[in-house]
Amino acid sequence: MNTSLRMLMCCLLLLPLFSAGQDSASIYTAQLLQPPADSVRTKAIGRLAALRIPATFPLLMAINDKKLYLLDQKAVTVDSKPTGEGTYRLYSLYPDNTLLTNSSGQPLLLPLSALKTVDIPRGDRLQLAGIAPLLNLFSNDAQKRILAYSQLKNTGDSATLSILQAALAKETNADALRTGKDVLYAARLYKATSTANANAYIDSIGDNWSDNAPVLLRNYAKAGFLNQETAHYAAAKAVSLEKRYDSLQRIQNFFSGLSLGSILILIALGLSIVYGLAGIINMAHGEFMMIGAYTTYCTQVFFTHTLGIPQTDIFFLCALPLSFIVAGAMGWILERLVIRHLYAKPLESLLATWGVSLILIQTARLLFGDLTAVKTPQLLSGGWQVSPHLTLPYNRIFIIVLTLFMVLFTYLMLFRTRLGLQIRAVTQNRQMSACLGIETRRVASITFFIGSGLAGLAGCAITLIGNVVPDMGQTYIVDSFLVVVTGGVGKLAGTIFSGLGIGFFTKISESFFQAVYGKVFILVFIMLFMQYKPKGLFPDKGRIAED
Amino acid sequence: MKTNNNTLLYILFIAVFAILLPAGYLSGLLSVNTISVWGRYFCFAIAALGIDLIWGYTGILSMCQAFFFCLGSYGIAMHLLLKKTATAGAVLPDFMAWNKIETLPFFWQPFQSFGWSLALCLLIPAVFAFIVGFVLFRSRIKGVYMAIITQALTLAMWLIFLRNETNLGGTNGLTDFSTILGFPLSSSSVKLGLYMISFVILCGAYFCCYKITHSKFGKVLQAIRDSESRVSYTAYKVVDYKLAVFVVAALLAAAGGMLYLPQTGIITPGRMDVKASVEMVMWVALGGRGNLKGAVIGALLVNFLYSICTSLFPDSWLFILGFLFVITVLYFDKGFMGLIDSIKQRFSATRFKTPQTTH
């Protein structure tokens, strides 16, 4: 009862003050912009800072940021960053704070030279230090605003809240709005006097669902502010929010697993075909991935430096087929020089290709140094914000789509073309295929080309999510071998299933254990799995299965 | 004829490493570091003998020998570190204090005593090899599958050893020891002593392996390499043989690791990463697999080459190693020893075809 009475009093007192303040604000603003004497300006700023009228905050903010300009005798400010051509967007400051437009309704763009800078001495600006946190609510920078909102977390005084409300009314950034609303609702919740009122604010906080909403509600429930009922309600709300958050987290994990799995599939696809066909364990497969990644990097450098095309997405589109071809060609050369002599000797090929991978890694290190990175194309930066707490990055979505596409491509190649028929025949029985007139060597060369090309493509895709380093292939090679082993050698379906399976398992176990123990767990799991299926998920049946 | 050749080789080997090198050091021609470096190579050679047993003679490509090697090293390192902390009057090794650990983890406790450390350094790898081998061989995992799974195992263990919370020193590994059984590690006579011990153990290990390979047991191992299914058709328990040789190889690797540690004074997880484990196999491949002399010579040669190349042209060592890998596999299937044999056979009339290993 007491509190509500006091609030009423406050409102009554504030009302006339507001209108009177409005008038004096106009006077002070005018004095500030065209001061008859320096002392008048100093006094005007001091008065404005003391009055704390929301409408004047953009102006004061501009003073604080030293970004106050005059355009046709009117006070304006500019964006924190220029647009592409060195011009700035302009905002009016008082009495209203809006984006300035030209006659056709487009944002008005002007260089700084077209504006007259208003210099406010440091001494004058220092008078604003006391209200700096509040001023930041009206900053042009969304990050600053979010910070400013969260700094108000524990304030309960109504003058500040009314300023907060004014700031929220013109808030455009979704994240900032959420943070601000959270603070506002929380303050109101603590002031609520009836159960219905409090519950309504609890609901609002729930709907708003900012990051610290569960903590906030829990604290409120613990304090037992109003009565037991609201406390229970708040606690229940917090639990339901956390549950929803957990389920979203699960979706996020699922998605990460899908994306990791698709990278593994992309790498293991080539590995599996080559092993099935030629009995070759290609330890240098990861290095073809590295070659693909460096091809992407070179394409980027070529486009930006040699051709002088600034950051565009074209380079990535070109890099996709290029990385396939370059890595494929390298694979073809390797097949000609080394692999050809090692058919059906998997252990020997393992060692020889390991040597090749050492050579390739060292070559890359000498050519490119230790660390390079490819800029993510603009088109693929950012993510699809499904909800405030669930963002699916575009680059990972792209990798998943690419994998789908390449799996389809491999499937069609293997099962719908003459070459695929030959590849499958040679995989089953090399000698018999040769007897039937299949040029097994040619088939093997082409298969090696495609397999290495697929790895190159994977490398190109991985530049989207990581750095390009000479030994990047090594990170994935053991995992992708595990995929091949678990899936069964030379089996498309097996590779897909085990790739996805290992991807999911990794991500799910990472959410229980730490990443390292997750990996150990997977390994133990695979070893146990192979007790039942020693030849992988989809073993050959019948006579082929014999040694 | 052949035995004569062998005897000559043994005499030469012993003369060079047991007499010439120590004599060179005592007369001041060689620095103590050279002695120590060769001592380390002997440790690698001991591990290489194990790899030759399991890969060269039995045809199982195990990529986790580097891990067993490190298990031996880590065990001794833990003992030495505890001794050092005890003499310094501290309760815990420095790195644990930095990681804010209050009590000694339980698995460090037995390493307080030297005897227990020795026993555990051999027991842990043996038990580990037994369990892994049992699981893998029982489900008839072989060939490439075996290689990949053991490699993944090494990778996983490497990741675990890299962590700080496993209390094994993380990325920095264990280092900074002072004494072994009261003798200061930095003194040159201790280094010479360790060198000699390594040499004697290498010779002992060679002798044991020689006996194994020339016994009936060894013949079965080679039969398994050449045709596993036929051996099992003739009522041999293939799994038992494989398991036995896997454990023996793990023991040899661990013994090498145990001797290796006091001579280098540091052990990091880098010794057991994927690269290290493939390299260990390569020593045997380069020296000549299925040939115990080859394994020893390969390990010594590659490491000697490594120390020369890294000091002369550091950038190209990986190129040299890579080319060695490729050329050995492509052209010298039997490695260095095979090369020597084939040169010898040029002079003799007939050239026997070497049996092909089945895949």
Side-chain angles (χ1 to χ4, degrees):
Chain A
M1 202 60 203
N2 201 0
T3 28
S4 67
L5 199 72
R6 206 186 295 159
M7 266 179 73
L8 197 72
M9 296 265 290
C10 276
C11 291
L12 284 174
L13 277 173
L14 274 172
L15 263 171
L17 204 86
F18 256 57
S19 47
Q22 215 71 295
D23 297 337
S24 48
S26 316
I27 298 165
Y28 289 132
T29 313
Q31 282 178 355
L32 186 152
L33 292 172
Q34 275 118 6
D38 279 357
S39 61
V40 176
R41 182 182 51 210
T42 311
K43 199 180 156 214
I45 294 177
R47 292 302 302 157
L48 282 178
L51 280 173
R52 299 194 178 193
I53 303 160
T56 61
F57 272 39
L59 177 69
L60 295 179
M61 182 68 207
I63 293 172
N64 202 31
D65 280 357
K66 293 188 271 181
K67 277 197 181 140
L68 180 61
Y69 301 96
L70 280 183
L71 178 70
D72 304 334
Q73 304 303 314
K74 278 179 71 184
V76 293
T77 190
V78 296
D79 253 343
S80 47
K81 282 195 199 97
T83 56
E85 291 85 34
T87 55
Y88 288 84
R89 275 195 287 222
L90 305 177
Y91 298 88
S92 68
L93 286 172
Y94 188 84
D96 47 348
N97 179 218
T98 50
L99 184 68
L100 290 183
T101 51
N102 57 18
S103 49
S104 57
Q106 294 295 311
L108 183 64
L109 296 172
L110 283 177
L112 285 183
S113 54
L115 303 170
K116 184 171 175 285
T117 313
V118 182
D119 274 323
I120 309 282
R122 192 176 125 82
D124 289 2
R125 269 187 281 120
L126 279 181
Q127 297 184 72
L128 298 175
I131 56 165
L134 292 177
L135 283 182
N136 274 333
L137 292 177
F138 296 89
S139 163
N140 278 339
D141 185 355
Q143 285 307 317
K144 263 192 191 166
R145 290 203 300 269
I146 292 177
L147 204 66
Y149 284 127
S150 47
Q151 275 171 350
L152 291 179
K153 213 175 340 187
N154 295 320
T155 37
D157 87 278
S158 10
T160 316
L161 285 186
S162 65
I163 291 167
L164 176 64
Q165 212 172 349
L168 281 176
K170 52 201 281 298
E171 184 56 75
T172 46
N173 181 289
D175 288 329
L177 190 64
R178 199 172 318 111
T179 321
K181 272 186 177 171
D182 207 40
V183 175
L184 186 69
Y185 293 152
R188 292 217 175 130
L189 172 61
Y190 276 94
K191 283 199 174 138
T193 47
S194 72
T195 309
N197 209 345
N199 285 356
Y201 279 123
I202 292 171
D203 281 338
S204 306
I205 290 173
D207 293 340
N208 187 34
W209 197 13
S210 74
D211 283 341
N212 69 345
V215 182
L216 203 150
L217 289 174
R218 241 174 242 287
N219 285 343
Y220 181 76
K222 228 181 273 164
F225 221 70
L226 194 61
N227 53 37
Q228 215 53 31
E229 202 183 327
T230 48
H232 282 311
Y233 191 70
K237 197 82 188 171
V239 169
S240 85
L241 279 187
E242 270 160 7
K243 260 192 194 146
R244 269 164 72 196
Y245 185 75
D246 281 351
S247 60
L248 282 186
Q249 212 53 40
R250 227 165 281 140
I251 295 175
Q252 188 91 51
N253 272 340
F254 182 82
F255 182 75
S256 315
L258 193 66
S259 114
L260 177 70
S262 46
I263 290 174
L264 287 179
I265 291 173
L266 213 49
I267 303 170
L269 213 54
L271 206 58
S272 173
I273 301 174
V274 166
Y275 180 46
L277 178 105
I280 294 290
I281 286 294
N282 187 7
M283 290 301 276
H285 196 75
E287 275 54 57
F288 291 117
M289 196 188 93
M290 179 267 285
I291 288 172
Y294 275 110
T295 310
T296 314
Y297 172 72
C298 290
T299 320
Q300 187 200 12
V301 171
F302 180 71
F303 267 76
T304 47
H305 290 267
T306 316
L307 292 186
I309 301 172
Q311 181 63 35
T312 48
D313 300 349
I314 307 169
F315 91 86
F316 197 75
L317 283 180
C318 296
L320 274 174
L322 262 180
S323 56
F324 184 91
I325 292 167
V326 172
M330 292 291 286
W332 187 79
I333 294 171
L334 178 71
E335 199 271 344
R336 278 289 151 116
L337 290 179
V338 179
I339 307 279
R340 173 149 291 200
H341 311 283
L342 295 170
Y343 280 141
K345 285 195 212 160
L347 294 182
E348 281 84 349
S349 70
L350 188 151
L351 295 173
T353 48
W354 178 263
V356 172
S357 88
L358 286 185
I359 295 171
L360 289 177
I361 290 174
Q362 189 64 9
T363 314
R365 188 167 287 142
L366 288 181
L367 284 179
F368 298 100
D370 265 333
L371 181 83
T372 39
V374 172
K375 274 187 194 148
T376 307
Q378 230 118 57
L379 199 68
L380 296 177
S381 51
W384 176 31
Q385 196 155 24
V386 184
S387 94
H389 301 271
L390 180 67
T391 309
L392 307 181
Y394 286 132
N395 49 13
R396 294 201 179 258
I397 296 177
F398 173 79
I399 289 173
I400 293 169
V401 173
L402 182 72
T403 305
L404 267 178
F405 184 75
M406 289 325 287
V407 166
L408 190 70
F409 163 80
T410 315
Y411 172 79
L412 290 178
M413 195 243 343
L414 278 180
F415 293 95
R416 292 283 183 276
T417 63
R418 195 175 170 74
L419 173 71
L421 190 67
Q422 291 176 342
I423 289 176
R424 283 183 292 139
V426 177
T427 305
Q428 268 193 11
N429 193 328
R430 188 175 193 80
Q431 276 87 16
M432 189 51 80
S433 315
C435 292
L436 292 173
I438 296 173
E439 288 176 74
T440 53
R441 298 215 141 183
R442 194 182 61 92
V443 172
S445 295
I446 296 174
T447 314
F448 219 82
F449 176 84
I450 294 172
S452 314
L454 284 173
L457 208 60
C460 180
I462 281 172
T463 59
L464 291 176
I465 54 169
N467 284 325
V468 184
V469 285
D471 52 0
M472 61 190 290
Q474 311 261 309
T475 344
Y476 288 95
I477 190 73
V478 177
D479 280 345
S480 45
F481 269 120
L482 282 182
V483 171
V484 174
V485 166
T486 321
V489 167
K491 294 280 178 297
L492 193 61
T495 308
I496 294 164
F497 271 97
S498 63
L500 284 180
I502 289 179
F504 282 139
F505 257 114
T506 310
K507 285 298 165 188
I508 290 169
S509 56
E510 268 175 20
S511 61
F512 288 111
F513 321 104
Q514 278 175 318
V516 169
Y517 304 112
K519 202 150 206 160
V520 178
F521 174 75
I522 286 171
L523 193 76
V524 170
F525 179 80
I526 289 177
M527 274 167 70
L528 292 179
F529 168 81
M530 295 195 75
Q531 298 291 303
Y532 301 100
K533 294 255 181 191
K535 287 276 170 192
L537 275 171
F538 300 96
D540 287 314
K541 293 195 178 68
R543 288 193 56 187
I544 315 169
E546 294 297 314
D547 258 337
Chain B
M1 180 70 190
K2 210 185 172 201
T3 29
N4 278 346
N5 260 343
N6 273 345
T7 331
L8 199 69
L9 204 70
Y10 295 152
I11 291 171
L12 196 71
F13 187 76
I14 291 174
V16 169
F17 289 112
I19 299 165
L20 218 60
L21 253 91
Y25 159 68
L26 290 174
S27 62
L29 289 172
L30 294 170
S31 77
V32 73
N33 284 337
T34 319
I35 295 289
S36 205
V37 161
W38 278 98
R40 268 177 250 166
Y41 298 166
F42 293 153
C43 305
F44 292 142
I46 296 170
L49 281 174
I51 295 172
D52 203 14
L53 273 190
I54 190 159
W55 183 44
Y57 283 90
T58 324
I60 304 166
L61 185 48
S62 154
M63 298 283 214
C64 51
Q65 299 307 108
F67 169 60
F68 296 137
F69 187 87
C70 279
L71 277 182
S73 286
Y74 266 99
I76 294 294
M78 284 155 83
H79 171 69
L80 293 188
L81 211 56
L82 285 179
K83 274 280 164 277
K84 193 202 168 205
T85 23
T87 38
V91 188
L92 290 173
D94 286 344
F95 79 89
M96 284 194 196
W98 296 331
N99 285 346
K100 300 200 172 60
I101 290 162
E102 268 106 45
T103 52
L104 199 64
F106 73 95
F107 61 90
W108 279 71
Q109 300 288 359
F111 289 93
Q112 300 272 14
S113 97
F114 186 69
W116 269 109
S117 303
L118 286 190
L120 282 178
C121 282
L122 294 173
L123 198 66
I124 293 172
V127 169
F128 197 93
F130 185 84
I131 295 171
V132 171
F134 182 75
V135 172
L136 291 181
F137 298 137
R138 200 188 69 103
S139 53
R140 287 206 248 161
I141 290 173
K142 55 189 163 191
V144 174
Y145 284 66
M146 177 76 190
I148 289 167
I149 288 191
T150 46
Q151 191 170 56
L153 190 73
T154 313
L155 183 78
M157 289 303 149
W158 174 66
L159 289 171
I160 286 183
F161 273 65
L162 277 181
R163 305 293 299 185
N164 269 331
E165 67 262 20
T166 40
N167 290 324
L168 287 164
T171 331
N172 300 327
L174 303 175
T175 184
D176 199 16
F177 318 113
S178 56
T179 56
I180 180 163
L181 290 173
F183 301 109
L185 279 170
S186 50
S187 94
S188 8
S189 51
V190 171
K191 283 184 176 170
L192 186 66
L194 284 169
Y195 166 87
M196 286 313 287
I197 293 173
S198 305
F199 182 75
V200 169
I201 291 187
L202 172 62
C203 292
Y206 180 85
F207 181 73
C208 290
C209 290
Y210 185 85
K211 280 289 164 208
I212 289 176
T213 51
H214 285 74
S215 67
K216 192 185 153 213
F217 178 75
K219 295 275 180 268
V220 177
L221 292 186
Q222 290 171 56
I224 291 175
R225 174 189 70 191
D226 294 337
S227 176
E228 186 176 330
S229 35
R230 286 185 212 176
V231 176
S232 66
Y233 296 155
T234 37
Y236 282 97
K237 284 187 175 169
V238 173
V239 176
D240 294 1
Y241 281 91
K242 282 173 147 185
L243 206 52
V245 77
F246 194 52
V247 172
V248 169
L251 282 174
L252 281 169
M258 287 160 73
L259 286 164
Y260 173 78
L261 182 98
Q263 305 192 57
T264 46
I266 182 167
I267 182 75
T268 64
R271 254 289 135 225
M272 59 191 251
D273 60 4
V274 175
K275 208 183 275 172
S277 36
V278 182
E279 249 177 60
M280 282 183 126
V281 173
M282 259 343 263
W283 299 338
V284 179
L286 285 170
R289 68 192 150 114
N291 187 331
L292 292 174
K293 289 194 290 290
V296 175
I297 288 172
L300 298 182
L301 211 64
V302 173
N303 283 294
F304 184 57
L305 211 62
Y306 168 77
S307 64
I308 290 178
C309 291
T310 40
S311 58
L312 288 184
F313 11 84
D315 275 345
S316 50
W317 163 245
L318 282 179
F319 285 123
I320 296 170
L321 189 68
F323 276 114
L324 270 178
F325 271 41
V326 176
I327 289 170
T328 310
V329 172
L330 285 187
Y331 301 108
F332 312 115
D333 197 24
K334 290 276 162 192
F336 185 70
M337 291 311 286
L339 185 68
I340 291 175
D341 279 347
S342 65
I343 290 171
K344 262 191 246 162
Q345 275 167 1
R346 280 279 164 83
F347 297 105
S348 55
T350 47
R351 204 176 153 184
F352 294 104
K353 262 206 147 164
T354 47
Q356 292 286 309
T357 51
T358 53
H359 65 282

